[in-house]
Amino acid sequence: RNGVKLESFNNSSTERSKTCILIKNLPNNTTETELRELFKKCNVDEKSLKRFVMPEYGIAVLIEFGERQDARNAFKKLAYRKFKSVPLYLE
């Protein structure tokens, strides 16, 4: 429905996007607004965020960036960072 190929998560030989980050281990009911605030605190340019794809309960999110370098910078700044007392796992 959102243009995400779910089968690529089970297949390690599938090439993944260089402009998307999957954030896992989010506390239940995390909102997009809370994540945008986290990005602001880490000096990630909000204009570089193209879209958020979140399931209903907000335990993971797929974030698409406009540019590969923006995704790489965000990954470096947010990997294993504490968010609501839990570390974020990024792919």
Side-chain angles (χ1 to χ4, degrees), residues 5-14 16:
K5 295 179 182 177
L6 296 176
E7 62 275 1
S8 66
F9 291 101
N10 294 325
N11 187 350
S12 61
S13 65
T14 302
R16 294 194 182 180

Side-chain angles (χ1 to χ4, degrees), residues 38 41-42 77-83 86-90:
L38 175 66
K41 288 179 187 174
C42 293
K77 291 177 183 177
L78 294 172
Y80 301 106
R81 183 180 177 93
K82 287 244 182 187
F83 176 70
V86 297
L88 298 176
Y89 299 126
L90 280 61

Side-chain angles (χ1 to χ4, degrees), residues 27-43:
N28 198 22
N29 294 319
T30 297
T31 66
E32 182 178 330
T33 303
E34 291 171 318
L35 290 173
R36 286 186 182 277
E37 286 299 315
L38 175 66
F39 277 78
K40 281 184 191 176
K41 288 179 187 174
C42 293
N43 296 320

Side-chain angles (χ1 to χ4, degrees), residues 14-57:
T14 302
E15 186 175 342
R16 294 194 182 180
S17 170
K18 303 288 188 210
T19 59
C20 292
I21 295 178
L22 174 64
I23 301 178
K24 304 183 293 187
N25 198 42
L26 292 172
N28 198 22
N29 294 319
T30 297
T31 66
E32 182 178 330
T33 303
E34 291 171 318
L35 290 173
R36 286 186 182 277
E37 286 299 315
L38 175 66
F39 277 78
K40 281 184 191 176
K41 288 179 187 174
C42 293
N43 296 320
V44 174
D45 185 5
E46 193 171 352
K47 295 174 189 170
S48 68
L49 304 174
K50 283 180 67 176
R51 70 179 175 145
F52 281 71
V53 179
M54 291 182 79
E56 183 178 343
Y57 298 108

